[in-house]
């Protein structure tokens, strides 16, 4: 770790900024009332953000492709989740598939 | 107020978060950070994706402030979370300070899934406090054993995080309209990830909300 002061400043910025986001959504909601349709749109917006997070963390590494093992693990986890497997089964299966493929030489 | 089934789900979720915390702590130490970095970060930021991102960017030689801003972009989703939560779920008075801090992907999902306000509040807090214990706990333990495990990817730990989030949203993806928009958003994020700095592609995916604005669901479908 090169510059401790700068890293601490970055950590503090991220912590404070994240707390501000957590607070401001609630504060806004108390001031303005939302029609049910707008609320549903907001919930859908959160799902879209998370789906995008899944896609990028599963398939990319930097600006490139992450390799096959990781998305394969995530895919198996996703199929299990769709079939209503328990949370822990999903997570362990995802890790096991990715690790198994790498063991076989598939990156 | 909470059914046994919900409690079991919350418990398993927290256990999964603990495992991801293990991988996070291990990855952080393997990237050259001292133990206190993942420890403090996991407790004070308490938002996994942004912390992985921060560690990744700084370890790759990026500026920590830029890494923090990228992390904030990822965490901007907490604003719509706060809008979506019914008032009172995060608590009142001083409790709300803590109730706001434990707002995360998991606690919001469990909170919103309950049928009434007492249930929503109980599920939100149970999951929020569970994650507050398990995420930093996992991160510290992971950092401690991180020096022993050199290649965390060999154990597939990197596949855990996207799998967890996918499992969290799979219930919403059963709705065809939401699924279409989510797939479109994922496509936008993937395409832009090729060129844009980390963090931005996920936010750009929000453009897919337009798909839902343009084709309103029939009210009878509710």
């Amino acid at each position: 770790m090169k510059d401790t002061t700068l890293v601490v400043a970055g950590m503090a910025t991220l912590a404070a900024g994240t707390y501000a986001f957590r607070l401001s959504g609630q504060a806004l909601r108390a001031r303005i009332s939302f029609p049910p349709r707008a609320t549903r749109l907001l919930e859908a917006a959160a799902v879209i953000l998370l789906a995008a997070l899944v896609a990028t963390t599963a398939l990319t590494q930097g600006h490139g492709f992450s390799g096959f093992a990781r998305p394969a693990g995530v895919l198996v986890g996703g199929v299990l989740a769709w079939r209503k497997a328990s949370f822990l089964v999903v997570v362990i299966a995802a890790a096991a598939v990715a690790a198994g493929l790498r063991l076989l030489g598939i990156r | 107020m909470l059914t046994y089934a919900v409690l079991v789900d919350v418990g398993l979720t927290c256990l999964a978060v603990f495992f991801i915390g293990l991988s996070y702590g291990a990855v952080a130490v393997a990237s050259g950070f001292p133990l206190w970095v993942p420890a403090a970060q996991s407790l004070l930021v308490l938002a996994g994706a942004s912390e992985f991102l921060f560690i990744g960017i700084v370890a790759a030689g990026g500026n920590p402030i830029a890494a923090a801003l990228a992390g904030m972009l990822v965490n901007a989703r907490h604003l719509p979370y706060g809008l979506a939560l019914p008032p009172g779920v995060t608590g009142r008075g001083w409790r709300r300070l803590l109730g706001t801090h434990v707002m995360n992907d998991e606690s919001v999902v469990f909170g919103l899934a309950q049928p009434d306000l007492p249930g929503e509040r109980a599920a939100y807090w149970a999951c929020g406090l569970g994650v507050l214990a398990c995420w930093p706990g996992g991160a510290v333990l992971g950092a401690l054993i991180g020096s022993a495990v050199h290649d965390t990817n060999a154990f597939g730990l990197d596949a855990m995080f996207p799998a967890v989030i996918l499992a969290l949203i799979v219930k919403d993806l059963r709705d065809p309209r939401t699924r279409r928009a989510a797939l479109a958003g994922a496509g936008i994020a993937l395409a832009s990830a090729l060129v844009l700095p980390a963090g931005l592609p996920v936010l750009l995916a929000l453009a897919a909300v337009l798909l839902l604005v343009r084709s309103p669901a029939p009210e009878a479908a509710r």
Side-chain angles (χ1 to χ4, degrees), chain A residues 2-94:
Chain A
K2 279 170 292 187
D3 190 339
T4 305
T5 314
L6 203 54
V7 171
V8 170
M11 290 166 65
T13 306
L14 180 55
T18 303
Y19 195 86
F21 278 128
R22 287 176 168 133
L23 199 59
S24 51
Q26 300 175 72
L28 281 175
R29 180 168 180 129
R31 271 170 215 189
I32 35 178
S33 64
F34 283 88
R37 193 164 118 70
T39 310
R40 284 203 298 280
L41 270 184
L42 283 171
E43 286 172 11
V47 173
I48 291 167
L49 278 177
L50 291 176
L53 194 61
V54 170
T56 50
T57 52
L59 289 164
T60 65
Q61 182 80 52
H63 292 301
F65 180 48
S66 66
F68 291 99
R70 191 194 303 166
V74 176
L75 184 67
V76 169
V79 169
L80 287 169
W82 185 265
R83 302 185 142 216
K84 299 181 179 172
S86 90
F87 216 88
L88 206 56
V89 170
V90 170
V91 174
I92 289 173

Side-chain angles (χ1 to χ4, degrees), chain A residues 1 6 10-11 18-19 21-22 24-26 29 40 44 46 48-50 52 63 70 78 82 88 95 99 102, chain B residues 15 33 41 45-46 68 72 75 77 81 83 90 96-97 100 103 153-154 156 158 174 193 196 202 205 212 222:
Chain A
M1 206 167 71
L6 203 54
M11 290 166 65
T18 303
Y19 195 86
F21 278 128
R22 287 176 168 133
S24 51
Q26 300 175 72
R29 180 168 180 129
R40 284 203 298 280
I48 291 167
L49 278 177
L50 291 176
H63 292 301
R70 191 194 303 166
W82 185 265
L88 206 56
R102 284 178 183 136
Chain B
L15 193 59
F33 290 95
Q41 187 107 300
V45 178
L46 197 64
M72 279 169 66
N75 287 344
R77 67 181 188 279
Y81 285 171
L83 285 170
T90 51
R96 196 167 157 207
L97 293 176
T100 297
M103 179 191 294
N153 278 7
D158 57 323
R174 288 184 199 280
L196 291 179
V202 171
L212 298 173
R222 278 289 288 171

Side-chain angles (χ1 to χ4, degrees), chain B:
Chain B
M1 267 181 284
L2 284 181
T3 64
Y4 179 71
V6 172
L7 271 180
V8 169
D9 280 349
V10 168
L12 288 176
T13 302
C14 291
L15 193 59
V17 165
F18 178 80
F19 274 99
I20 307 162
L22 281 179
S23 79
Y24 167 56
V27 165
V29 169
S31 311
F33 290 95
L35 185 142
W36 61 264
V37 170
Q41 187 107 300
S42 57
L43 198 61
L44 298 174
V45 178
L46 197 64
S50 67
E51 296 174 41
F52 270 114
L53 191 65
F54 181 87
I55 293 288
I57 292 175
V58 176
N63 183 301
I65 302 297
L69 294 179
M72 279 169 66
L73 281 179
V74 170
N75 287 344
R77 67 181 188 279
H78 290 83
L79 197 148
Y81 285 171
L83 285 170
L85 281 176
V89 167
T90 51
R92 309 223 176 270
W94 67 269
R95 278 199 191 85
R96 196 167 157 207
L97 293 176
L98 183 62
T100 297
H101 187 54
V102 299
M103 179 191 294
N104 54 49
D105 303 333
E106 295 85 359
S107 63
V108 170
V109 169
F110 275 108
L112 290 178
Q114 309 311 314
D116 53 8
L117 185 62
E120 284 170 338
R121 195 185 294 133
Y124 176 87
W125 277 88
C127 190
L129 293 177
V131 168
L132 181 61
C134 290
W135 176 248
V140 169
L141 193 60
L144 286 174
I145 59 177
S147 47
V149 181
H150 291 295
D151 183 12
T152 49
N153 278 7
F155 295 91
L157 295 189
D158 57 323
M160 276 186 176
F161 177 72
V164 167
I165 301 177
L166 187 54
L168 280 170
I169 59 171
V170 86
K171 181 174 67 72
D172 302 283
L173 296 179
R174 288 184 199 280
D175 171 48
R177 295 173 69 253
T178 307
R179 187 167 64 234
R180 258 201 313 278
L183 279 174
I188 292 169
L190 282 177
S192 54
L194 297 174
V195 285
L196 291 179
L200 279 176
V202 171
L203 285 185
L204 212 58
L206 268 185
V209 171
L210 291 174
L211 287 176
L212 298 173
V213 177
R214 290 188 52 189
S215 58
E219 285 305 309
R222 278 289 288 171

